[in-house]
Amino acid sequence: MRIPHDPVALEEHFKDDDEGPVSNQGYMPYLNRFILDKVTVDFDRQEFHKMCWTLCSRKNLNQSKLMISSDDAFKVWCIFNFLSDDQYPLVIITEEIEYFLRKLTEAMGGSWVEERFEDYKMLLNARQQSLSAWELISLVGSGHFSKGMDKQTLSMGINEVYLELILDVLKQGYMMKKGHKRKNWNERWFVLKPNSMSYYVSEDLAEWKGDILLDEYSAVAPLQDKDGKKCLFLIKSAQKSFEISVSDKKKKQEWIQAIQTCLNRLRDGRPAPHREAQQKRREIRLRRQEEQEELELRMRELQVANEAKQLELEKMRRALEEAAANAAEEEQRRLQTQTELQDRYRTDLEKEILVRQQIEEQVAQKSTELEQYLVRVRELEDMYQRLEEALEDERRARQDEEAVRRLQTRLLEEEATKRAELEQLHLHQQRTISETEAEKQELQKERVAKENALQAAMEQLEHLEKERQGALEQYQTVVKKLETATNNTKSWKHKVAEHEGLLRLIEPGSKGPVLITNWGPAAFSDAELSHREKQWQKEKSEKSQAQ
């Protein structure tokens, strides 16, 4: 194979393996990393697979028991190598078996029977959870999952799955291609792969005619019908552009979509769909395996913790037994102590009963005092109410006194006015007497008239004196009421002070000395009387001067 081999790398790869070079770490990782990854561009993997198949098939494969050909068995073997994990010995797990059988059933045009595979999976799990390459070939060659299908259909299905998974064929079929030199249209068998599109003379792939290399800068686009050709589309690659014609619009759309998918994957740097799906399945299995290992690790940790807990419980049990023995001894001591405590408690209880009786008596006494206090509070509230009524009567009496004083003031003013008029009449009478005798008769008449007027004024003055006397009697009555109200107020004040000790009533302000006139108590103060006297002297002098 002209591949450089590195013995040092081989030794380094398997240095931690104590059971041989193809046991734990696996032969396939070494084969992929140090051999197959170093092959040149012209290396034919199919020839390498056929060489390996020739070396191992004669020893392990019994062709007489199979309903498939040796070539189909080789294709199943290649598919097994693709779907198996990179560990030695190679096996295919249940999940990948189901994936391959589904693909094969779809390629044969049949329907997948889930119940049949579930029964087989239960049988497989009871025996083992994986198959070797030869067991997988026997499973497919026995026709267990292809009942009702002939050998040719089974062979075509295996070939289609082989083309997709091993040769990376995404789509294939006949189409018309326009030549670059002669510009003529030729029918070719096209095979689409992730990074190229090859075309052959026929579907047996015997005569290769060329490749259309696809890269991230390539493009595919539909074309208008021309030159009598319909359903045209154009493929632009780095070297050339190719005009392709198909038989109907459905195939045209399918080819354009398939090519565009390849271009999109090339731009994104993604592998073929089946390889990407395989990688995802492997990543999921690895995650599950890691989770399973982590779960097993946790289970082991829990088991160790459980064993430690069991030991701890055993120690606790022994400690509890010792504690029970100690508790029995302690119970005996406790019973003795309890007897002593009961006697002590009985004595304390009797003392407590006596104390409780004393407390109840004190509570009853306090209740009686509280009731008395409440009665006094109610009496005090009643006194407060009566005191308010007395204060209200005193206020009304003072209002009546003020009204009488105003009436007395008015009567005194009228009396002063009448006295001034009498003084004027008297002066006028004296003047008339001193006049001549000639005027004496006339003056006599006037004097009579004046006397009559004076008599009327005297009668009116007497009437005013009577009214003043009535007002004075009324004032004395009001003063008596005021004194009665004041006495009541003082009496209630004294009672409230006896109950409260701190109550102080608001008493009327002190009054000045009462002035007594010849008509009784004065209704004016000294200043007011002095002012009125001066005013009366002034008016009297003015009248004398006028005469």
Side-chain angles (χ1 to χ4, degrees):
M1 295 172 63
R2 298 186 298 277
I3 297 174
H5 181 59
D6 188 359
V8 178
L10 176 64
E11 183 178 357
E12 180 69 22
H13 184 73
F14 295 107
K15 69 178 181 179
D16 296 331
D17 190 0
D18 297 333
E19 300 179 5
V22 290
S23 298
N24 295 338
Q25 296 196 18
Y27 177 68
M28 285 303 296
Y30 178 80
L31 177 65
N32 291 329
R33 179 177 177 184
F34 295 101
I35 297 179
L36 297 180
D37 290 346
K38 295 181 179 180
V39 297
T40 58
V41 178
D42 57 351
F43 174 72
D44 191 351
R45 289 179 179 266
Q46 296 305 312
E47 292 298 328
F48 173 72
H49 290 164
K50 287 180 180 179
M51 181 186 67
C52 296
W53 169 257
T54 303
L55 292 175
C56 63
S57 61
R58 292 180 180 274
K59 178 182 177 181
N60 298 287
L61 185 64
N62 187 1
Q63 189 68 33
S64 62
K65 296 182 180 180
L66 303 177
M67 58 180 293
I68 57 176
S69 63
S70 176
D71 184 56
D72 291 337
F74 164 71
K75 293 177 181 178
V76 174
W77 181 76
C78 292
I79 294 172
F80 168 84
N81 291 331
F82 172 74
L83 295 178
S84 60
D85 292 335
D86 291 340
Q87 58 183 1
Y88 190 85
L90 293 181
V91 292
I92 181 171
I93 62 175
T94 308
E95 181 182 356
E96 298 295 339
I97 296 173
E98 182 179 2
Y99 175 77
F100 168 60
L101 294 178
R102 281 180 180 272
K103 283 279 187 183
L104 182 60
T105 304
E106 292 174 0
M108 292 187 298
S111 58
W112 175 252
V113 182
E114 187 72 31
E115 292 78 6
R116 185 184 301 176
F117 183 76
E118 289 295 330
D119 295 339
Y120 176 76
K121 185 163 64 173
M122 292 178 61
L123 178 63
L124 185 64
N125 291 336
R127 181 167 53 89
Q128 59 185 10
Q129 295 183 355
S130 60
L131 295 177
S132 65
W134 317 110
E135 290 173 338
L136 180 64
I137 294 173
S138 299
L139 177 64
V140 176
S142 63
H144 180 73
F145 287 94
S146 59
K147 291 182 180 180
M149 302 289 181
D150 54 12
K151 294 183 178 180
Q152 185 178 2
T153 303
L154 178 60
S155 177
M156 292 175 62
I158 294 172
N159 184 63
E160 184 174 344
V161 177
Y162 173 78
L163 289 175
E164 179 182 355
L165 300 183
I166 306 305
L167 300 183
D168 294 335
V169 175
L170 303 179
K171 190 173 180 60
Q172 58 183 349
Y174 282 107
M175 293 188 296
M176 300 295 293
K177 185 185 80 69
K178 185 177 182 181
H180 290 283
K181 295 181 179 180
R182 298 182 181 180
K183 305 297 181 181
N184 58 337
W185 292 85
N186 297 312
E187 187 177 40
R188 295 288 184 260
W189 177 262
F190 285 85
V191 178
L192 176 63
K193 294 185 178 182
N195 56 359
S196 67
M197 189 172 179
S198 303
Y199 50 94
Y200 303 85
V201 175
S202 62
E203 59 182 308
D204 57 4
L205 309 181
E207 185 177 354
W208 172 79
K209 299 300 291 183
D211 291 327
I212 303 175
L213 299 179
L214 303 177
D215 55 22
E216 57 184 357
Y217 302 105
S218 302
V220 60
L223 293 176
Q224 299 292 332
D225 298 342
K226 63 178 181 177
D227 300 334
K229 296 295 181 180
K230 297 182 178 180
C231 302
L232 298 174
F233 62 92
L234 178 67
I235 302 176
K236 294 181 181 181
S237 64
Q239 298 83 10
K240 300 177 184 179
S241 296
F242 299 86
E243 293 185 11
I244 309 295
S245 174
V246 294
S247 58
D248 53 51
K249 293 182 179 179
K250 181 180 178 181
K251 289 184 178 181
K252 173 184 175 181
Q253 185 63 29
E254 290 176 353
W255 274 99
I256 291 176
Q257 185 174 358
I259 297 170
Q260 187 63 49
T261 302
C262 292
L263 296 178
N264 293 336
R265 288 183 171 274
L266 287 172
R267 294 188 184 100
D268 298 337
R270 296 164 58 189
H274 60 277
R275 294 185 182 276
E276 185 178 15
Q278 182 199 28
Q279 185 64 28
K280 290 182 179 180
R281 293 196 302 274
R282 286 185 178 180
E283 291 175 357
I284 292 173
R285 286 200 298 273
L286 287 175
R287 285 198 299 269
R288 289 177 181 173
Q289 185 177 0
E290 291 175 357
E291 293 175 356
Q292 183 66 25
E293 292 176 355
E294 183 179 359
L295 182 60
E296 291 177 356
L297 178 61
R298 293 178 63 184
M299 290 297 293
R300 287 195 295 270
E301 293 176 354
L302 290 175
Q303 186 176 1
V304 172
N306 189 22
E307 292 175 357
K309 186 64 71 175
Q310 291 292 338
L311 293 175
E312 185 178 355
L313 290 175
E314 182 66 21
K315 292 180 180 179
M316 292 178 63
R317 185 183 64 79
R318 293 175 183 174
L320 287 175
E321 291 177 353
E322 295 177 358
N326 296 331
E329 297 177 358
E330 184 67 24
E331 182 67 19
Q332 294 295 329
R333 291 194 297 269
R334 189 184 64 81
L335 289 174
Q336 295 177 359
T337 306
Q338 185 176 6
T339 304
E340 296 175 357
L341 290 175
Q342 284 179 352
D343 297 336
R344 187 183 304 172
Y345 288 159
R346 189 177 298 107
T347 305
D348 294 340
L349 183 59
E350 292 174 356
K351 293 181 179 179
E352 184 179 356
I353 291 172
L354 293 175
V355 172
R356 182 177 297 177
Q357 291 176 355
Q358 294 176 359
I359 292 173
E360 289 177 353
E361 292 176 357
Q362 292 178 0
V363 169
Q365 183 180 358
K366 293 294 182 182
S367 299
T368 305
E369 293 178 357
L370 180 60
E371 291 178 356
Q372 293 176 357
Y373 177 74
L374 292 175
V375 170
R376 290 179 62 189
V377 169
R378 286 193 292 271
E379 291 177 353
L380 185 61
E381 290 178 352
D382 189 22
M383 290 179 182
Y384 273 123
Q385 185 176 0
R386 294 182 181 180
L387 178 60
E388 289 179 355
E389 293 176 356
L391 290 174
E392 181 66 21
D393 293 339
E394 182 179 1
R395 184 182 62 81
R396 291 175 181 175
R398 289 185 179 278
Q399 290 179 356
D400 295 340
E401 180 184 6
E402 186 66 24
V404 170
R405 283 188 178 185
R406 286 196 297 270
L407 178 61
Q408 186 178 6
T409 301
R410 183 176 60 81
L411 293 176
L412 289 175
E413 288 177 355
E414 292 180 357
E415 181 181 356
T417 304
K418 292 298 182 180
R419 285 182 179 277
E421 290 178 359
L422 289 175
E423 289 288 339
Q424 290 177 2
L425 289 175
H426 182 69
L427 292 175
H428 183 69
Q429 184 178 8
Q430 288 180 355
R431 283 194 302 269
T432 54
I433 292 173
S434 61
E435 288 180 356
T436 59
E437 287 293 330
E439 297 174 352
K440 188 175 181 179
Q441 296 295 329
E442 185 178 353
L443 289 176
Q444 186 69 25
K445 294 179 182 180
E446 290 179 1
R447 185 180 62 79
V448 173
K450 295 292 183 179
E451 288 178 355
N452 292 332
L454 180 60
Q455 185 66 30
M458 291 297 292
E459 292 178 358
Q460 188 175 3
L461 180 59
E462 291 177 358
H463 178 70
L464 289 174
E465 287 181 356
K466 291 180 181 180
E467 288 183 356
R468 185 179 62 80
Q469 188 67 27
L472 182 59
E473 293 175 356
Q474 186 177 1
Y475 170 74
Q476 291 175 353
T477 303
V478 171
V479 168
K480 290 180 180 180
K481 289 183 179 179
L482 179 60
E483 290 177 355
T484 304
T486 302
N487 293 330
N488 291 333
T489 302
K490 290 181 179 180
S491 175
W492 286 113
K493 174 182 175 183
H494 180 68
K495 290 181 180 180
V496 170
E498 287 179 353
H499 283 80
E500 290 292 326
L502 297 176
L503 181 63
R504 295 182 179 177
L505 296 177
I506 299 174
E507 298 178 352
S510 60
K511 300 180 181 180
V514 180
L515 299 178
I516 303 298
T517 63
N518 54 350
W519 295 289
F524 304 101
S525 62
D526 293 339
E528 291 176 340
L529 288 175
S530 177
H531 176 71
R532 289 180 177 273
E533 184 177 1
K534 289 179 180 180
Q535 186 177 5
W536 179 75
Q537 292 292 342
K538 184 179 179 181
E539 291 177 355
K540 184 177 181 181
S541 61
E542 287 177 356
K543 291 181 180 179
S544 299
Q545 293 175 3
Q547 289 178 0

